[in-house]
Amino acid sequence: MLRTEPRAGQSTADLLRLGAEGSRGRYMIGQRGEETGVSAGDPPLHPLLQSLGRFWKRQSGCVNLDQLLVSLAESASCIPLLFCRPRDFWRSGFELVKMSNRKTKSNNVIHAECLSEVQRILRERFCHQSPHSNLFGVQVQYKHLIELLKRTAINGESNSVLIVGPRGSGKTMLINHALKELLEIQGMSENVLQVHLNGLLQINEKIALKEITRQLNLENVVGDKVFGSFAENLSFLLEALKKGDRASSCPVIFILDEFDLFAHQKNQTLLYNLFDISQSAQTPVAVIGLTCRLDILELLEKRVKSRFSHRQIHLMNSFGFPQYLKIFKEQLSLPAEFPDKVFAERWNENTQCLSEDSTVREVLQKHFNVNKNLRSLHMILMLALNRVTVSHPFMTSADLMEAQHLCNLDSKANIVHGLSVLEICLIIAMKHLNDIYEEEPFNFQMVYNEFQKFIQRKAHSVYNFEKPVVMKAFEHLQQLELIKPMERTSVNSQREYQLVKLLLDNTQIMNALQKYSNCPTDVRQWATSSLSWL
C-alpha cells in the first residue's frame, strides 16, 4: 500500500479528490511533486468511490461525490483508502459508512430524548404556572400575602384579603407560591386545610357549600357524595367551624377564584357567612378572593362589606422592557438539574444569543407595547417551542417571528378568507354604506341596492344573483357574526328592513381581500374605489 501526505495548503478533501479524479487512479502527486505509481492492474478508483457514494446516499443522505469526500475527509484514517487494493478499499469504506450511520442514529436518539425533556419542562412552566418558577415584579405583594397567611396558620388570626389585577397578571401564581412556602414550614402541611372554589364552577351557593363540605371531609360526606339540603349543609358547616378555637382548631384557608361571580349570587349568603366567621374568635379562617374587577367592593352588599377587612393587594405588572427581556431569558432557560449538561449549556447559550438578537428584541418590544402580561409571553414561547424538532433542535428568531404572527392573526379577517365572492361583494357594499352614512346602521335592502348598482355599472365577472340567494348570503354573514342586528328580531318585522351593523373595519376588509385567492379584478377595484360609481 502506498501513502502520501498533502502539500502545504492542501486539505485532506483535496487529496482525496485528486486521487479519485486521477487518470484511472494510477498516479498521485506527492508532497514534492513527484509521481507515485500505483499498480497498473488495479481497477480505477473513481467507480469504487461512486459505488460507495451510492451506498452512502442510501444510509446518510449524501448526494454527490464532493459530499462523500468531505465526509470521508473528517477522519484521517480515510487517506489510505485511495491507495489500497479495491477489496480492502470497499471493505474499509463499508465499515466507515456503518460506523457513521450508527453514530448518526445514536446522536438522533440522544437529541430526541433531550428535546422531549425540554418540551416537558418548558410546557409545564408555560401552561401550569408551576410554583417552582420565579416571581417577577411582585415581591412586595408576595411579602404582604405570606405574612397574612402565616398569621392565620401559626398565630390563629382570622383574615380576609382580595387580590386584584388584570387577567394574566400572576394572581394565581402569587397565591400558589405563598401556599407552597407556607406548607414547607414544619408541621403546616398536616395542620392547614385548604378549600379552593371557582365562580365559574360553583355557579350557585348550594353547589359551593357541597364542594366545601366535600373538600373538608366533614361527617355528612360518604365517598364523593354530599347528603343534606342547602340549609342543613350551611348549618352543618357553620357549626363545624364555630366549634373550634384558636388554640386547638386547624386553620382553614378559603381561596375564591373569580370572586366577583360569587358577589353576583343571590343574597351573597356564602360570602356573608365566610366573612362573618373570619371576624369571630373561633376557628382560624383566611378568605382570599381573586378578581380582575377594580370595582369589586361596589358589588358587595352592605352587611357583607361591613364584615370584610378591606385589605386589597393589587397586581399591575409595573416592570419595564429590560425586566421583560430578563423574564423572557429566564422562562426559556433550562434548569441546572437538566439530565444532559452539555445540551442544557448549548440551549442556554442559544437563549442568551436570542435575547441579544436585534430581531428578537424588536418582536418582544412590539409585544410588550401591546400586552406585557406573562400569559401572552408564554403563548408566544409555546408557539415557538412547537417548531423545535430533532432536525431543528434550537429556537431561532424566525420561530419567534412566526409565533408573533400567529398570535396577532385577526380571527374575523381569517373568516373573510373563506367566504364566497357574493358574500365578499355584500361586505364591500356595507363598507361603502359605512363611508357614506358615517357608521350609521343599515338594512339588507340598502345593501342589496348597492350590490345591484355595482352589477349594472361595473361588474363583468360577477353573476347577478336573485334576491333570495343574496338574502341567504346576508343571513350567513349574520350567523358568522360579521354583522350584528341592532335590535331584537320580532316575528312581525320584515327581515329586509332590520337594522344591522358591520363588525369589520376598512383595514380588516382590505387586508383580507389582499389574501383572498381568485378574487375577481372588478371586485378588488370596487373595494378600493371612492364613491364615483354612484
Side-chain angles (χ1 to χ4, degrees):
M1 183 185 301
L2 298 174
R3 303 189 182 206
T4 185
E5 297 292 330
R7 295 197 301 269
Q10 194 175 35
S11 66
T12 307
D14 293 334
L15 183 61
L16 286 167
R17 190 174 288 105
L18 285 172
E21 297 174 354
S23 176
R24 294 185 60 81
R26 295 188 182 190
Y27 297 100
M28 174 59 63
I29 305 300
Q31 185 175 6
R32 298 180 178 82
E34 69 273 11
E35 293 182 348
T36 306
V38 181
S39 173
D42 285 342
L45 293 179
H46 190 75
L48 288 174
L49 279 171
Q50 285 186 331
S51 300
L52 183 57
R54 284 193 294 271
F55 182 80
W56 189 284
K57 178 180 178 180
R58 290 195 301 271
Q59 298 296 322
S60 63
C62 269
V63 295
N64 58 35
L65 179 61
D66 288 343
Q67 287 176 298
L68 172 62
L69 293 172
V70 172
S71 300
L72 290 174
E74 292 177 355
S75 173
S77 60
C78 301
I79 299 177
L81 294 179
L82 290 173
F83 312 107
C84 64
R85 294 189 304 274
R87 185 181 301 170
D88 296 333
F89 173 85
W90 174 256
R91 187 183 299 114
S92 301
F94 183 76
E95 292 297 327
L96 183 65
V97 170
K98 291 204 296 184
M99 286 191 298
S100 177
N101 190 35
R102 284 197 298 269
K103 185 177 179 181
T104 302
K105 286 186 177 179
S106 175
N107 289 339
N108 287 344
V109 171
I110 294 173
H111 270 192
E113 292 175 354
C114 290
L115 290 176
S116 177
E117 186 67 12
V118 168
Q119 298 268 6
R120 185 191 66 79
I121 292 173
L122 295 184
R123 283 178 177 172
E124 182 179 358
R125 185 183 296 170
F126 299 156
C127 297
H128 301 300
Q129 296 291 327
S130 172
H132 301 287
S133 58
N134 296 326
L135 288 172
F136 303 102
V138 291
Q139 283 73 19
V140 175
Q141 295 90 331
Y142 176 74
K143 183 180 179 181
H144 184 187
L145 180 61
I146 192 62
E147 287 178 355
L148 185 144
L149 290 176
K150 285 180 179 179
R151 289 203 301 268
T152 300
I154 299 173
N155 302 330
E157 176 186 326
S158 294
N159 288 297
S160 56
V161 64
L162 287 176
I163 302 176
V164 184
R167 299 193 184 278
S169 59
K171 299 185 295 294
T172 304
M173 185 172 63
L174 183 71
I175 186 66
N176 287 342
H177 273 76
L179 290 174
K180 177 177 177 291
E181 181 177 335
L182 180 69
L183 296 179
E184 286 176 350
I185 300 174
Q186 186 175 2
M188 285 293 106
S189 60
E190 299 174 357
N191 295 329
V192 175
L193 300 176
Q194 300 179 44
V195 177
H196 293 264
L197 302 176
N198 192 306
L200 295 172
L201 301 177
Q202 285 75 47
I203 57 176
N204 58 51
E205 293 170 342
K206 183 177 180 179
I207 298 174
L209 280 172
K210 285 188 175 183
E211 183 64 18
I212 292 172
T213 53
R214 186 189 69 80
Q215 291 189 33
L216 290 178
N217 292 322
L218 298 178
E219 294 176 358
N220 65 335
V221 178
V222 178
D224 288 335
K225 296 184 179 179
V226 181
F227 298 95
S229 64
F230 172 75
E232 291 172 348
N233 281 329
L234 179 59
S235 61
F236 184 83
L237 172 65
L238 295 176
E239 182 183 358
L241 293 175
K242 289 178 179 179
K243 276 183 179 179
D245 55 62
R246 290 187 176 184
S248 60
S249 299
C250 289
V252 184
I253 300 175
F254 290 90
I255 296 100
L256 279 65
D257 206 353
E258 304 292 345
F259 181 84
D260 51 290
L261 296 182
F262 289 101
H264 285 298
Q265 294 177 1
K266 186 179 180 181
N267 296 329
Q268 300 180 0
T269 307
L270 176 66
L271 297 181
Y272 171 78
N273 285 286
L274 289 179
F275 287 150
D276 187 54
I277 294 171
S278 68
Q279 291 290 323
S280 63
Q282 298 157 351
T283 301
V285 171
V287 182
I288 303 172
L290 282 67
T291 181
C292 57
R293 293 282 297 268
L294 291 173
D295 61 341
I296 182 62
L297 292 181
E298 303 300 323
L299 301 178
L300 300 179
E301 293 181 0
K302 185 177 180 180
R303 62 177 188 144
V304 178
K305 193 184 300 185
S306 65
R307 285 161 173 78
F308 175 53
S309 66
H310 289 263
R311 290 191 188 94
Q312 294 187 49
I313 299 176
H314 290 268
L315 304 180
M316 292 301 172
N317 286 345
S318 57
F319 49 78
F321 183 69
Q323 178 71 4
Y324 189 77
L325 203 60
K326 182 180 178 183
I327 294 172
F328 162 78
K329 186 168 65 173
E330 291 185 8
Q331 290 293 291
L332 206 54
S333 298
L334 294 178
E337 58 271 14
F338 190 79
D340 192 331
K341 305 296 183 185
V342 177
F343 185 85
E345 184 178 352
R346 291 177 62 195
W347 178 276
N348 291 339
E349 287 176 357
N350 181 71
T351 302
Q352 177 66 30
C353 293
L354 283 177
S355 65
E356 297 171 356
D357 186 88
S358 59
T359 306
V360 174
R361 283 174 176 261
E362 184 179 352
V363 168
L364 294 177
Q365 182 71 61
K366 287 181 180 178
H367 197 72
F368 177 80
N369 293 338
V370 175
N371 190 354
K372 62 179 182 180
N373 68 57
L374 298 186
R375 185 179 295 172
S376 62
L377 175 63
H378 287 160
M379 176 60 70
I380 278 192
L381 295 180
M382 174 67 76
L383 293 173
L385 184 65
N386 291 340
R387 298 171 64 87
V388 174
T389 60
V390 175
S391 59
H392 180 64
F394 297 103
M395 197 177 294
T396 63
S397 57
D399 297 334
L400 288 167
M401 290 179 66
E402 180 65 23
Q404 189 205 27
H405 175 70
L406 291 174
C407 284
N408 295 337
L409 283 179
D410 190 340
S411 58
K412 290 191 178 296
N414 288 337
I415 294 176
V416 175
H417 298 162
L419 297 180
S420 65
V421 175
L422 172 59
E423 290 164 340
I424 291 287
C425 289
L426 294 182
I427 287 179
I428 296 173
M430 297 176 204
K431 168 183 174 294
H432 288 309
L433 287 173
N434 277 341
D435 294 339
I436 297 171
Y437 298 107
E438 298 179 351
E439 306 293 331
E440 288 293 322
F442 48 83
N443 57 38
F444 168 75
Q445 190 61 46
M446 297 168 67
V447 175
Y448 182 72
N449 291 340
E450 290 296 318
F451 176 65
Q452 286 298 313
K453 290 177 184 178
F454 167 65
I455 291 293
Q456 293 170 6
R457 299 189 182 186
K458 297 285 184 179
H460 302 287
S461 57
V462 180
Y463 181 73
N464 187 8
F465 294 94
E466 296 180 357
K467 190 173 183 179
V469 178
V470 180
M471 184 67 186
K472 193 69 177 177
F474 186 82
E475 291 175 347
H476 185 233
L477 294 177
Q478 186 171 335
Q479 292 173 358
L480 294 174
E481 297 183 357
L482 297 178
I483 56 176
K484 180 182 73 171
M486 298 301 295
E487 54 190 15
R488 183 175 297 179
T489 305
S490 61
V491 179
N492 299 327
S493 62
Q494 294 181 330
R495 294 180 301 171
E496 293 88 343
Y497 301 103
Q498 291 176 357
L499 293 177
V500 297
K501 187 176 182 64
L502 181 63
L503 300 180
L504 294 168
D505 58 34
N506 289 357
T507 305
Q508 290 176 309
I509 296 172
M510 299 311 298
N511 289 342
L513 279 177
Q514 289 177 0
K515 300 177 182 178
Y516 190 88
S517 58
N518 302 324
C519 182
T521 305
D522 291 336
V523 175
R524 290 184 188 275
Q525 292 176 350
W526 183 33
T528 56
S529 64
S530 61
L531 308 181
S532 59
W533 71 89
L534 293 174

